[in-house]
Every structure is written in structure tokens, then in C-alpha cells.
Amino acid sequence: MSGSEPAMPSRLELLRFLRRYLLNELARVDGWIQQETLRDEGRRGAHLRATRAAERPWWLHHEDGKPVRLHASGCFFISRHDTGGACTRREALEALAQGAEACSGCRPDTDLGVE
């Protein structure tokens, strides 16, 4: 070797270079993890909204502000003209206790454990 050739890096310099390279790669992986975490949280949010909707599976029909008839939310007897709305299990049980009629088609009283 002549004096004009560049000196080979030492083993220590090579290891330091490798360390910097790997830290940069690790930072890239951390970025990918962060992106995937945000996507997963978005999916979990959609699942949470669906779960909340499932927590209101009953429909309470009102007349003159009083609960009259209780349906399961998918009941084919629910009319688009019905005045009422979705209700929780507790609200459905209270309506039955106050004398609301259970639909004979979808039998929400059976789902609620009341017969």
C-alpha cells in the first residue's frame, strides 16, 4: 500500500457506522408502527360505534308521549310512521312495567327475559 491510498476505517468506525444505520432503520420501523397504530385505532373506533348501536336493540313506539308498544329494532312491524325511537334494555324493561305492549311478531319480551 502506498501513502496516497485512503486508510481503511477501523473496526470501531465500522461498528459506529452500522449503529447509526440501524438507528435510522429503527426510526423508520417506529414510524410504520405509529401509522399502523393510528389505523388500528380508527378501526377500533368504528367497532365501538357499532357496539354502541347494538346496545340499543329495542324500539319503543309512543302515543301521546306514553310508551305503547315495544319492538326489537329489526322488527318488520315497525312503521316509518311510528313515533318513537331506539331505547336501552333498562328503558325497554321500564316501558313493559308501565304497561307497554310487547310486539307479537318480534317478541322483545322474550329477548328481555320477561314473559
Side-chain angles (χ1 to χ4, degrees):
M1 284 204 255
S2 69
S4 64
E5 292 181 45
M8 289 293 294
S10 70
R11 182 168 168 79
L12 180 59
E13 289 171 320
L14 290 173
L15 289 171
R16 285 182 176 153
F17 171 79
L18 178 61
R19 184 177 186 281
R20 282 192 311 272
Y21 172 78
L22 292 174
L23 286 173
N24 285 333
E25 289 301 306
L26 185 58
R28 285 179 55 198
V29 171
D30 286 344
W32 295 336
I33 289 171
Q34 184 179 14
Q35 289 174 351
E36 197 58 35
T37 300
L38 291 173
R39 280 190 202 109
D40 191 43
E41 287 173 358
R43 286 188 292 263
R44 246 186 276 137
H47 176 71
L48 182 59
R49 286 188 294 277
T51 301
R52 285 185 181 150
E55 290 173 355
R56 302 179 73 80
W58 294 279
W59 180 269
L60 191 54
H61 175 83
H62 294 275
E63 284 182 8
D64 298 325
K66 294 174 61 177
V68 179
R69 193 170 305 101
L70 182 66
H71 298 273
S73 64
C75 180
F76 52 89
F77 285 124
I78 297 173
S79 167
R80 63 185 168 145
H81 304 292
D82 275 353
T83 55
C87 65
T88 64
R89 176 182 176 82
R90 182 181 52 78
E91 292 166 335
L93 289 169
E94 288 174 3
L96 289 173
Q98 293 171 6
E101 170 188 329
C103 173
S104 60
C106 62
R107 298 301 310 248
D109 50 343
T110 304
D111 291 341
L112 291 165
V114 178
E115 297 196 29

Short mmCIF file of all heavy atoms in Angstrom, two decimals, residues 34 41-42 63 66 76 84 91:
data_model
loop_
_atom_site.label_atom_id
_atom_site.label_comp_id
_atom_site.label_asym_id
_atom_site.label_seq_id
_atom_site.Cartn_x
_atom_site.Cartn_y
_atom_site.Cartn_z
N GLN A 34 -46.28 3.51 14.31
CA GLN A 34 -47.17 4.62 14.66
C GLN A 34 -48.32 4.73 13.66
O GLN A 34 -49.48 4.89 14.04
CB GLN A 34 -46.39 5.92 14.73
CG GLN A 34 -47.23 7.09 15.19
CD GLN A 34 -46.43 8.38 15.28
OE1 GLN A 34 -45.32 8.46 14.76
NE2 GLN A 34 -46.99 9.37 15.92
N GLU A 41 -56.55 2.18 15.65
CA GLU A 41 -57.45 2.97 16.50
C GLU A 41 -58.67 3.42 15.72
O GLU A 41 -59.78 3.46 16.26
CB GLU A 41 -56.71 4.17 17.08
CG GLU A 41 -55.73 3.80 18.16
CD GLU A 41 -54.88 4.97 18.63
OE1 GLU A 41 -55.01 6.08 18.09
OE2 GLU A 41 -54.07 4.74 19.53
N GLY A 42 -58.49 3.73 14.44
CA GLY A 42 -59.64 4.09 13.60
C GLY A 42 -60.59 2.93 13.44
O GLY A 42 -61.81 3.09 13.51
N GLU A 63 -97.32 6.99 21.91
CA GLU A 63 -98.53 7.72 21.52
C GLU A 63 -98.85 8.68 22.65
O GLU A 63 -98.88 8.28 23.83
CB GLU A 63 -99.71 6.76 21.30
CG GLU A 63 -99.63 6.00 20.01
CD GLU A 63 -100.82 5.08 19.80
OE1 GLU A 63 -101.80 5.13 20.60
OE2 GLU A 63 -100.77 4.29 18.85
N LYS A 66 -96.61 8.64 25.69
CA LYS A 66 -96.55 7.46 26.56
C LYS A 66 -96.05 6.26 25.75
O LYS A 66 -96.41 6.11 24.58
CB LYS A 66 -97.94 7.14 27.12
CG LYS A 66 -98.46 8.19 28.07
CD LYS A 66 -99.88 7.92 28.49
CE LYS A 66 -99.97 6.58 29.21
NZ LYS A 66 -101.31 6.28 29.70
N PHE A 76 -90.17 -6.23 11.52
CA PHE A 76 -90.82 -5.80 10.29
C PHE A 76 -92.12 -5.05 10.54
O PHE A 76 -92.68 -4.46 9.63
CB PHE A 76 -91.05 -7.00 9.35
CG PHE A 76 -91.77 -8.15 9.99
CD1 PHE A 76 -93.14 -8.23 10.00
CD2 PHE A 76 -91.03 -9.16 10.61
CE1 PHE A 76 -93.79 -9.29 10.60
CE2 PHE A 76 -91.68 -10.22 11.19
CZ PHE A 76 -93.07 -10.30 11.20
N GLY A 84 -91.52 7.32 17.90
CA GLY A 84 -90.77 6.64 18.93
C GLY A 84 -89.31 6.61 18.56
O GLY A 84 -88.86 7.36 17.71
N GLU A 91 -84.61 0.94 29.61
CA GLU A 91 -85.79 1.69 29.17
C GLU A 91 -86.89 0.75 28.65
O GLU A 91 -88.07 0.99 28.89
CB GLU A 91 -85.40 2.69 28.08
CG GLU A 91 -84.52 3.83 28.59
CD GLU A 91 -83.86 4.62 27.46
OE1 GLU A 91 -83.68 4.09 26.35
OE2 GLU A 91 -83.52 5.79 27.72
#
